[in-house]
Amino acid sequence: RLWPTTIPPDPWGILVRSFYRLLVQQPLLHTAAGAVGGGSGTGKWVTPLQAVFPDDVIRANPMLLNALLSQGIPIVDAPAEVCRMLQDLTLGPQRTVYVSPDYVRSWLKRGQSKIPLNREAGLKVLEYCMEDIIDDEPSSVENLIGLELCPLGDGSFGMFTPKGGGEMLYIVDALESDILTTLPQLQVDRHIPAGVHERLASIARSKCLNIGPVSAPHLAHLLHFLLPKEWKRRQVVDWAPLPSQVESKRSAPSKSRAPGHPTTEWLRLLWEWIQKKAPRDLGLFRDWPILPVAGSRLCCLNPNPCVIHPQGPGSAVEEEGSVGGWSKALSSILQRLQCFILDPNFKVQHPELGQYVNEASGHGVLHAITNSMREV
């Protein structure tokens, strides 16, 4: 209340101007930086030259203000009228530092604070840092590089890096989230406020950051973390799935160990995604046994297939032990010949499936047998 907030007529006006000029290097402005978010004490006093002044957005958002103070930004709590007088009479526009999205981005990139932001505060800071970003201009989007503010599915924040320069972080839909359920640390959190999520999705379309949608090449690469590593390039593996919907409740495994066998539900979701979003890219998944066949096994997508697509269920009266209308005896003979019958319970469909599975005909069976002999 002792600060003059207006300039009276001279000669008192001369006194007010001189008073403010004398204060430019005096620590008379208070900031709570260092006392918020786990710091000790009650903050500190800074000179006008050291101060960062709040703008209208910061003044109206106490949570954002506290989040920035917790990162050590010396935002002063002086009244707006005093800040204006300091700018007009002492600092001038060139020396007045107002908090802004660009200033906050620069401060955070310097890593001057080691105090982690909680989820709500981090989202507020992210939203503020994106305020002046132009989503479809790569040169603008690149200003986010170096900020550890990307909200991830495991509750942490990931680093924005140039595309190809760091770990890819995926903007996922519900289906993709279920497929990548054991890799929440690679998913942009779907449960953040819709406005923030939409901005991240829009920014991702610039294709200059390490965030983006799940593509067929990406998912094929991620199978290395979703399936047992020893399965890679195996033509046939025994499959002992956990009961459906159990895996979705498990905590995410570390990348240093192979995850367990996938559930039947997970495999159905994988094929649903491949059918919908990779209609011309089935070959990208050839390194992994993902074809479910009778006898609790999985086969690779082999261009010289030993797998036979059975006639659909209901096309014949099935006896106990038969598979997809094939008799138990015929199924047994084919399996002894190292031919495999696609499990009809999964209803696997794909435009390119015929390249990796033989049709249920005399010619298809002979082709499967011939290919199995080559594998021996």
Side-chain angles (χ1 to χ4, degrees):
R1 295 180 181 180
L2 298 177
W3 290 78
T5 57
T6 59
I7 302 177
D10 290 339
W12 294 110
I14 297 173
L15 179 62
V16 169
R17 293 185 188 94
S18 300
F19 172 75
Y20 270 95
R21 292 190 186 103
L22 288 172
L23 300 181
V24 68
Q25 295 189 20
Q26 300 300 316
L28 297 173
L29 296 174
H30 182 263
T31 174
V36 176
S40 59
T42 59
K44 58 185 178 181
W45 296 89
V46 296
T47 71
L49 289 174
Q50 297 170 324
V52 178
F53 295 95
D55 61 8
D56 292 339
V57 174
I58 299 296
R59 291 183 186 279
N61 196 326
M63 180 178 291
L64 175 59
L65 172 61
N66 286 334
L68 298 179
L69 288 170
S70 75
Q71 299 305 294
I73 300 177
I75 302 172
V76 295
D77 48 26
E81 296 83 1
V82 173
C83 295
R84 177 181 53 80
M85 293 285 283
L86 283 168
Q87 178 180 348
D88 293 344
L89 301 180
T90 304
L91 299 172
Q94 299 300 320
R95 293 197 297 175
T96 304
V97 178
Y98 274 93
V99 69
S100 67
D102 183 63
Y103 182 89
V104 172
R105 290 193 298 264
S106 298
W107 180 278
L108 295 177
K109 289 176 187 180
R110 293 198 295 269
Q112 298 189 43
S113 172
K114 301 300 181 183
I115 299 175
L117 291 166
N118 63 39
R119 192 56 149 195
E120 194 172 5
L123 289 172
K124 288 289 185 182
V125 175
L126 170 62
E127 195 169 10
Y128 184 70
C129 286
M130 295 191 296
E131 193 173 87
D132 62 346
I133 298 297
I134 302 173
D135 297 2
D136 57 358
E137 288 190 10
S139 60
S140 178
V141 171
E142 287 171 355
N143 287 310
L144 296 175
I145 292 173
L147 294 178
E148 195 170 348
L149 287 175
C150 187
L152 302 179
D154 64 352
S156 67
F157 289 93
M159 179 77 73
F160 290 109
T161 66
K163 186 174 182 179
E167 198 162 45
M168 190 69 184
L169 306 175
Y170 299 99
I171 297 176
V172 298
D173 58 23
L175 174 60
E176 291 159 348
S177 181
D178 286 340
I179 293 172
L180 302 179
T181 187
T182 57
L183 297 174
Q185 72 276 20
L186 299 184
Q187 301 179 46
V188 175
D189 190 352
R190 294 177 55 242
H191 304 293
I192 59 177
V196 180
H197 194 275
E198 289 167 5
R199 280 298 307 279
L200 288 173
S202 178
I203 286 170
R205 287 192 281 273
S206 70
K207 298 182 179 180
C208 62
L209 298 182
N210 61 326
I211 60 173
V214 180
S215 67
H218 288 143
L219 185 54
H221 166 72
L222 290 172
L223 290 182
H224 180 75
F225 307 115
L226 297 168
L227 296 173
K229 293 179 175 63
E230 61 272 18
W231 281 11
K232 191 170 185 179
R233 298 191 180 91
R234 291 276 300 275
Q235 292 301 308
V236 185
V237 296
D238 292 322
W239 178 33
L242 293 170
S244 294
Q245 301 183 2
V246 169
E247 188 174 70
S248 63
K249 304 297 183 182
R250 298 186 308 168
S251 57
S254 67
K255 291 183 179 180
S256 62
R257 68 176 181 86
H261 290 202
T263 66
T264 55
E265 179 65 19
W266 184 91
L267 194 63
R268 288 191 178 94
L269 295 174
L270 176 65
W271 275 104
E272 180 182 345
W273 188 95
I274 294 173
Q275 180 185 353
K276 289 180 177 178
K277 299 195 176 184
R280 298 181 181 178
D281 296 313
L282 187 56
L284 293 173
F285 301 88
R286 283 174 51 180
D287 280 348
W288 295 94
I290 59 172
L291 269 178
V293 297
S296 297
R297 290 180 169 184
L298 296 172
C299 289
C300 259
L301 297 165
N302 191 331
N304 298 308
C306 304
V307 179
I308 303 167
H309 199 307
Q311 297 173 351
S315 61
V317 177
E318 297 188 15
E319 62 177 277
E320 185 179 355
S322 66
V323 180
W326 294 65
S327 70
K328 182 178 180 181
L330 179 56
S331 300
S332 178
I333 292 171
L334 290 172
Q335 289 176 16
R336 290 181 183 180
L337 293 171
Q338 294 301 302
C339 295
F340 305 95
I341 301 174
L342 189 66
D343 191 334
N345 294 315
F346 284 86
K347 298 180 175 59
V348 173
Q349 297 180 3
H350 193 276
E352 297 179 337
L353 187 61
Q355 300 177 28
Y356 306 100
V357 175
N358 294 290
E359 62 181 7
S361 65
H363 178 269
V365 171
L366 288 174
H367 192 230
I369 295 173
T370 300
N371 289 332
S372 70
M373 295 298 102
R374 291 173 180 167
E375 296 291 333
V376 176

